[in-house]
Amino acid sequence: MMNTVRKSENLLPFPVISAAANGDTTAMCAILKHYEGYIAKLCTRTLKDDAGNTYFYVDEEMRNRLQVRLITRTLAFHIG
């Protein structure tokens, strides 16, 4: 039961999704903000230097691609 409560707290409200699908830029920004951390996690890469040190960085090109994909799919969302 506890997992259901946590999952429902993380959902975007339907009116926000609907408004974004209809071209509302404020709602679209809210959707991008909601998925910001998830997208950053997907785009995190590991880099090792010659000394063996490990560094993590966010691949900005991949982040931009995923954000554009999210915007495109949101605008294509039809409520019907």
Side-chain angles (χ1 to χ4, degrees):
M1 183 87 178
M2 188 63 149
N3 289 337
T4 306
V5 173
R6 286 184 186 164
K7 286 182 182 179
S8 66
E9 289 176 0
N10 294 332
L11 295 176
L12 283 168
F14 184 75
V16 173
I17 296 168
S18 178
N22 290 322
D24 184 349
T25 56
T26 305
M28 187 64 73
C29 288
I31 289 175
L32 287 170
K33 183 70 174 167
H34 179 79
Y35 286 105
E36 182 178 52
Y38 179 64
I39 290 173
K41 184 176 179 179
L42 290 175
C43 299
T44 300
R45 303 288 179 242
T46 305
L47 176 70
K48 278 194 172 182
D49 63 8
D50 294 335
N53 298 318
T54 304
Y55 301 96
F56 297 98
Y57 71 98
V58 175
D59 184 345
E60 292 298 326
E61 181 179 346
M62 181 63 76
R63 182 198 313 234
N64 290 336
R65 286 180 172 190
L66 289 176
Q67 287 175 338
V68 168
R69 183 75 180 241
L70 178 59
I71 291 168
T72 303
R73 293 296 183 175
T74 302
L75 291 172
F77 183 72
H78 296 288
I79 303 152

